[in-house]
Every structure is written in structure tokens, then in C-alpha cells.
Amino acid sequence: MACVLAIETSCDETSVAVVNDRHCCSNIVASQIPVHRQYGGVVPEVASRSHVETINQAIAQALLEAQLDWGGIDGIAATCAPGLVGSLLVGLTAAKTLAIIHHKPFLGIHHLEGHIYATYLSEPDLEPPFLCLLVSGGHTSLIYVKDCGHYETLGETRDDAAGEAFDKVARLLHLSYPGGPVIDQLAREGNPAAFSLPEGKISVPSGGYHPYDSSFSGLKTAVLRLVQKLEADQSELPVSDIAASFQDTVARSLTKRAIACALDYGLKTIAVGGGVAANSGLRKHMQQAASEHNLRVLFPPLKYCTDNAAMIGCAAADHLNRGHTSPLTLGVQSRLPLSSVMQLY
Ligand code: KG4
Ligand code: ZN
């Protein structure tokens, strides 16, 4: 058993958690969304300054809620890649400093590995292999989870991430940031068949389309053209219908690829993670398709879908149990493929 204090500051949430193997003892999340909303997206410099202001209090609060002092902590972890460099540096520097002061092992964690581990917090008996559909503001990936630290990315987006597409389309519809939850809410009142929108496909040189890769930039442009046409006609924008049609197109496209991938690789379980896993349209399509194909689909609770330190702590505890620790010379990286996770130890 390993009890880890983990820090996540890769983007716009300052989060600190205490995790005992797959059990979350505390998970403090200080969201910066209200700060960034006025700019319509995350401003990196503002994000890192805000992490500096919040992190000490979040660390103290995480220990307090877990009812532990440093004597009960076996290791200290922080997200080290991928993410905003200035933001990552705040969390990583805090974790290294605490590790030195309290003589604890230090671990750098890959943010996407954290999203994979989010599922274990609510499904502690789950074991690899399984497929992870990771859909967030920065990533859209289909990952073959083989073991702790061992992953194969089978599908990716070639342009915008799914969450990014939600945020950009929300901006086109004059809605607030982040766009995903707002579109999800509006889509409930709209007709998903109101507009026929194109599902992005990636052609392969040998002919046909890539079965698992996706693309959302064409869909975003199609929504832009639609909005421009409707605005030129001076008709009132049917925002709910556009939101519902867009959401349905994204959900169908992701579901089709995830199910095909699971069936082709003989994987019986699909764990969905990342902020877009909160989407009601995606949940509906995935659950329906999974039951038709006799597959199990797992959605972590919302608090573990969006960025949080509990998922980072869960991954760190597993690595620590296997004797993996990172050197204090480890730096942050804005990009790092998931296949390179074991280079961190
Ligand atoms: O995982 P996350 O918190 O941060 C990243 O690692 O990117 O994901 C944030 C993304 C945002 O793009 C947001 O619009 C999207 O998740 N999101 C949603 C929903 N809730 C959050 N997208 C669609 N439907 C939702 N209900
Ligand atoms: Zn994330």
C-alpha cells in the first residue's frame, strides 16, 4: 500500500490530493475557470500566477481533509507533462521541494496516465488490459492500456481535440467558456437531426479511412458556415438545434471509433476519461453501442473526469508500489507521448 500526496497544475485547475492506492482520501480542486472566462480561454501566464497563489493552501487543505500529517505520506507526486510549461513548473517545483524537506520519494506523472487512472478510483477492481477513450480539452485518444506505464495509442485526433471543438463551437454560438457543459445543456432542448453536419474522417494512402483517428476541424468549419448563413438570412440562431446536432455528430464519431477499436483488439472494457466524458450525448451513444456489442463501458464520476490530482495520485501510488521513483533533476515537458512514460522513472 502506498499513500501519496499528488499535485496537478498542468492547465487551469490547482489540485492537490491524498490517495492511498486506489482510494481517494482528499481531492482539493481550485478551478481558475472564472478567471479565464473573461478572456474566452486559458491565458498561460495568468494560469501559472494563479497556481502560485493557491498551491500552498491547497496542499494544507488536502492533508487536513485526509487527516494525515507528513508522517503518513509515502511519496510526493506532480504532473510533469504534457501541459502548460509555466503551470507544470509550479506543481513540479512544489512536489520536489516537499520531497526534499520531508525525505520522501518523488514521482513525475504523465497527465494522460492520470486520466487513465481516474477510472480505478471508482472501479478499484478493474485490471488491464482495457481500452481508454480519453477525450479532454487537449486530447482525443484511444489508448490500449496494457499495464502500469505501458500504453499504446491506437487512435488520435489529427487536429482539434474533442473538448477544444466544443469550446470553439460554443464561441461561434456566442456562448461562454468552457463550451462543453453549455452545449451539453442546450443540446437537451434541441433536435440532434435538425442539421446534417459532416463527421471528420482521415483518409489513408492505401484507400478508405483510418478506423480510429478522428478530426474535428472540418466539423467546426461546417458549424461556422451554418452560423454565417443563418446570420446572413437574419433568422434567429437556433442555438439549441445547432448544439444538439453538433454534439450528436461528435458523440457518434467517437463512439464508432471506440467500439471498432475495442472489437478489433478483443478488449471487453472501455474506460472513458477526460472532461468530455461528462457529455450526456457521448454517454448515451457509448452505453447503447456497448450494450449492443456486449462490451462494458465505464464513466468515472464527473469530479474524476475533469482535471484533478486524485487521478495523478492513483497513478503515482501504483508506480511507487512497483519501486518507480523519479530523479529530482526531472523537468517539465509541454509534450510527451504516452509511450514514453517509463522514461520518467
Ligand atoms: O479534462 P479536462 O478538464 O481538461 C483537459 O485536460 O483538457 O477537459 C476540459 C474540456 C473542456 O474543453 C470542456 O469544454 C470539456 O472538457 N467538457 C465537456 C463537458 N464538460 C467539460 N465537453 C462536453 N460536454 C460536457 N458536459
Ligand atoms: Zn486533463
Side-chain angles (χ1 to χ4, degrees):
M1 294 267 279
C3 188
V4 173
L5 180 127
I7 301 175
E8 155 62 43
T9 59
S10 66
C11 190
D12 59 349
E13 327 277 354
T14 314
S15 183
V16 184
V18 175
V19 179
N20 200 343
D21 279 355
R22 294 180 173 185
H23 171 70
C24 175
C25 308
S26 65
N27 185 31
I28 309 301
V29 184
S31 174
Q32 302 176 4
I33 286 176
V35 182
H36 298 290
R37 185 170 282 138
Q38 56 186 309
Y39 306 107
V42 178
V43 183
E45 183 59 25
V46 174
S48 33
R49 280 168 194 263
S50 180
H51 287 308
V52 172
E53 283 164 17
T54 319
I55 195 150
N56 283 336
Q57 201 188 338
I59 293 166
Q61 189 72 18
L63 280 173
L64 189 71
E65 284 194 17
Q67 298 184 317
L68 283 175
D69 57 23
W70 292 107
I73 301 293
D74 303 311
I76 298 171
T79 308
C80 62
L84 301 172
V85 165
S87 292
L88 287 167
L89 263 176
V90 177
L92 199 78
T93 307
K96 283 186 197 175
T97 309
L98 289 169
I100 294 168
I101 294 171
H102 298 290
H103 308 287
K104 307 285 180 189
F106 156 73
L107 297 96
I109 298 291
H110 193 291
H111 182 76
L112 300 194
E113 187 175 40
H115 275 300
I116 293 168
Y117 270 76
T119 305
Y120 293 129
L121 292 165
S122 49
E123 297 283 339
D125 296 330
L126 176 67
E127 291 300 338
F130 59 90
L131 183 69
C132 179
L133 168 63
L134 180 48
V135 273
S136 70
H139 299 272
T140 303
S141 307
L142 279 164
I143 301 157
Y144 185 163
V145 180
K146 297 179 175 175
D147 197 0
C148 172
H150 297 280
Y151 311 99
E152 188 180 341
T153 302
L154 301 172
E156 274 181 307
T157 177
R158 297 290 183 97
D159 39 60
D160 292 345
E164 194 180 357
F166 271 93
D167 295 338
K168 287 180 176 173
V169 165
R171 208 174 305 161
L172 295 177
L173 297 174
H174 317 293
L175 304 170
S176 67
Y177 172 85
V182 191
I183 290 188
D184 197 354
Q185 195 57 40
L186 282 166
R188 286 168 212 263
E189 297 139 34
N191 173 10
F195 299 101
S196 169
L197 295 167
E199 175 200 317
K201 292 181 184 165
I202 302 295
S203 345
V204 287
S206 51
Y209 299 100
H210 193 290
Y212 317 131
D213 279 357
S214 41
S215 158
F216 296 109
S217 71
L219 171 60
K220 177 193 64 193
T221 308
V223 176
L224 171 67
R225 299 269 178 273
L226 176 65
V227 170
Q228 283 171 337
K229 184 179 175 304
L230 291 167
E231 284 181 340
D233 294 348
Q234 298 201 325
S235 43
E236 198 185 323
L237 218 51
V239 179
S240 302
D241 284 347
I242 300 175
S245 304
F246 164 76
Q247 176 169 298
D248 201 62
T249 308
V250 174
R252 274 189 289 112
S253 149
L254 291 171
T255 300
K256 190 165 87 183
R257 285 160 177 74
I259 300 288
C261 193
L263 294 175
D264 291 350
Y265 281 80
L267 298 167
K268 291 274 168 223
T269 302
I270 306 174
V272 189
V276 185
N279 187 261
S280 60
L282 180 62
R283 286 181 179 234
K284 190 187 85 188
H285 280 281
M286 281 295 291
Q287 259 144 5
Q288 200 174 327
S291 82
E292 279 165 20
H293 291 92
N294 228 356
L295 301 172
R296 187 162 73 127
V297 61
L298 302 171
F299 286 90
L302 192 56
K303 61 182 176 186
Y304 299 140
C305 286
T306 48
D307 285 352
N308 67 89
M311 66 186 196
I312 302 299
C314 190
D318 205 358
H319 280 290
L320 193 56
N321 279 329
R322 292 159 197 256
H324 303 161
T325 60
S326 304
L328 287 167
T329 49
L330 185 77
V332 301
Q333 292 176 74
S334 60
R335 289 167 176 269
L336 181 70
L338 200 48
S339 53
S340 305
V341 162
M342 289 312 294
Q343 290 174 11
L344 303 174
Y345 310 107

